[in-house]
Each structure stands twice: as C-alpha cells, then as structure tokens.
Amino acid sequence: MLSNNNDMSLITVKDLTKTYETEEVKTTALQGVSFTVDKGEFLAIMGPSGSGKSTLMHILGLLERPSTGEYLLDGRNVAGLSDNELATLRNKRIGFVFQAFNLLPKTTVLENVELPLLYDNDPTEHNAKRIADALAAVDMTHRAKHYSNQLSGGEKQRVAIARALVNDPDIVFADEPTGNLDSKAGLQVMRILQGLNDSGRTIILVTHETSTAEHAKRIIRVVDGRIVSDEPVARRKIAGAGEATLK
C-alpha cells in the first residue's frame, strides 16, 4: 500500500499538458492541468467527448506520460520511472474498470479475475483467497465458473470491478463504468463503487453524465483540456438496492 502520511496528497499533478503529434498535425488534449487527490476520495472527472478527461485518466493511471508538467504519486515523481517500473507500479497499486468491460469472452469469471495476478510475484497459494475476496466484494461468487459471455452487462461490469480489486490497489479508476448498462445495472455498479469508497478505497470516476458524477463526492469538470471547475458535490446521490437517493 502507499504511504500513510496524512500531510501528503495521494496524487498531485502540476501544469500537466498532453499533445499528440501525427506528421504535421498537433492535437492538444490537456492544457496546464493542476489538482490534488487525497487518499480515500471519490472524485469524478467530468466533461463532454473530446474534453481531455480520458487522456487525464490515462496519465493518472500510468497508461500514458504527459508531454510536460509533474505527476506525483504519493509524493514520488513518476517521470523518471522506466516503462517496466510503471507497469509494475500500475499492476500493484491501480485497478481499472472500463465501459467495454474488457473481459476475455471464452474464459470463466474466475479466470478473468485472476488475470492481474499472473503478473504478480506473490506465491500462487495466496491467489485463491484474493480471487474469492474480490468476487465476494461484488456478489459474484455464485458465477465464478460461468464463462463471461454467459453474463449480463451488469454482471460483466461487476466481474471487471472484481478484477480491478484482486491486487488490492490503492486507486480504482472507473472509465464510463455505467455507459453500456441499463439504469438498474448502472445503480448496482455505483453502489459497489460507493461501498468500496466507504471502506477507504480511492475512486476516480470518468464520465460525461451528471447523474453518474453525482455519486462521487467531488467533481472536476474539464472542457477543451482545461479544468473549468473543481467542487464538492452539494447533493450527493447514494445508490441503494434499486434506486439512488440524495444525501
């Protein structure tokens, strides 16, 4: 786990920029982005398509490097890390949940959840408990031996969350996690994410939907690669068994 130094933010980004270049075309995705995220926060990064929010998540999740600026993870500047070091850090400390689920279709639920552990150096005997705990956290133990292509969309996303949890990461990034789900399944997913946050997990949600972002505790809005607002959620939605209530 990361440091427990309460005086230090878990994430600090300073003047981040990201520019993509293809031949003679330059596209600026982020322009001078700065903010901090404390351990245990539930942050939503919100913006329309093309705003830069997914690029920002990819940088925070160590999937891409910024063009300029600083990214400190638990006080450590990640700029000097090699690609292999970034991959190791990402596998141990970060979990991802994507809109498209990204499950292997002809593989069991258990095997999908096990995937991140294949890159881990811990003894195999610990894996069974990790998988069981992750499946229990999303109420999918009873589906462990089913193939992922036998599941509903909501069940697939719950399996994706279990896979994100199996290495006990410090941060879970959820990129449009309800985008392919109906409203009931979407609320189930948000209830799980809120429960993880209630237990101390840091959650960073990326979405273009206000109704989804309001399940978080804080919303950063991004437009044209810049932060236009950064505010706590005034009336937070709490996902119950089948509906969202305001708090």
Side-chain angles (χ1 to χ4, degrees):
M1 299 293 286
L2 294 173
S3 164
N4 290 321
N5 184 350
N6 292 327
D7 296 328
M8 185 182 296
S9 295
L10 179 61
I11 289 174
T12 300
V13 295
K14 301 177 181 177
D15 294 323
L16 283 190
T17 72
K18 181 65 176 181
T19 301
Y20 297 98
E21 297 187 33
T22 56
E23 297 179 354
E24 297 180 357
V25 178
K26 290 186 178 181
T27 303
T28 300
L30 294 175
Q31 307 182 64
V33 170
S34 300
F35 62 92
T36 63
V37 181
D38 291 335
K39 183 176 175 63
E41 280 205 70
F42 191 157
L43 168 68
I45 300 174
M46 186 180 166
S49 177
S51 62
K53 62 185 186 299
S54 292
T55 298
L56 179 56
M57 189 206 76
H58 290 162
I59 291 173
L60 297 178
L62 307 178
L63 295 170
E64 294 187 41
R65 297 177 185 266
S67 298
T68 62
E70 286 189 338
Y71 174 19
L72 307 180
L73 181 59
D74 198 34
R76 182 184 187 185
N77 193 329
V78 302
L81 299 179
S82 69
D83 289 345
N84 286 340
E85 288 171 327
L86 287 176
T88 299
L89 187 62
R90 185 169 60 242
N91 191 55
K92 289 183 176 296
R93 297 185 171 180
I94 295 173
F96 294 97
V97 180
F98 296 100
Q99 178 177 349
F101 318 129
N102 292 356
L103 301 181
L104 299 179
K106 296 182 180 180
T107 306
T108 66
V109 165
L110 188 150
E111 290 167 335
N112 270 284
V113 173
E114 184 184 24
L115 281 175
L117 298 174
L118 301 179
Y119 302 96
D120 201 348
N121 293 322
D122 285 350
T124 306
E125 56 264 26
H126 294 307
N127 290 0
K129 184 177 186 309
R130 288 184 179 188
I131 295 167
D133 288 348
L135 287 172
V138 298
D139 193 24
M140 285 295 288
T141 303
H142 63 295
R143 301 287 261 168
K145 295 183 179 180
H146 286 74
Y147 290 98
S148 62
N149 58 4
Q150 297 174 313
L151 306 179
S152 68
E155 288 174 328
K156 288 178 181 179
Q157 196 59 292
R158 284 152 63 188
V159 173
I161 294 172
R163 182 183 57 194
L165 293 176
V166 75
N167 268 336
D168 192 26
D170 297 281
I171 312 166
V172 173
F173 288 93
D175 189 4
E176 302 281 7
T178 63
N180 285 338
L181 306 179
D182 61 34
S183 58
K184 181 178 179 181
L187 284 175
Q188 290 176 331
V189 166
M190 295 314 301
R191 183 172 75 249
I192 291 169
L193 293 177
Q194 287 182 326
L196 293 172
N197 179 247
D198 290 343
S199 67
R201 192 88 54 179
T202 304
I203 308 292
I204 298 180
L205 168 71
V206 174
T207 182
H208 68 281
E209 298 177 339
T210 300
S211 59
T212 300
E214 287 175 344
H215 286 92
K217 296 176 180 176
R218 171 186 168 200
I219 299 175
I220 288 178
R221 286 181 168 83
V222 181
V223 175
D224 295 333
R226 298 182 185 275
I227 292 177
V228 296
S229 67
D230 181 351
E231 299 173 338
V233 177
R235 300 185 70 198
R236 186 189 184 206
K237 290 183 176 180
I238 303 299
E243 61 181 1
T245 56
L246 295 174
K247 182 177 180 180

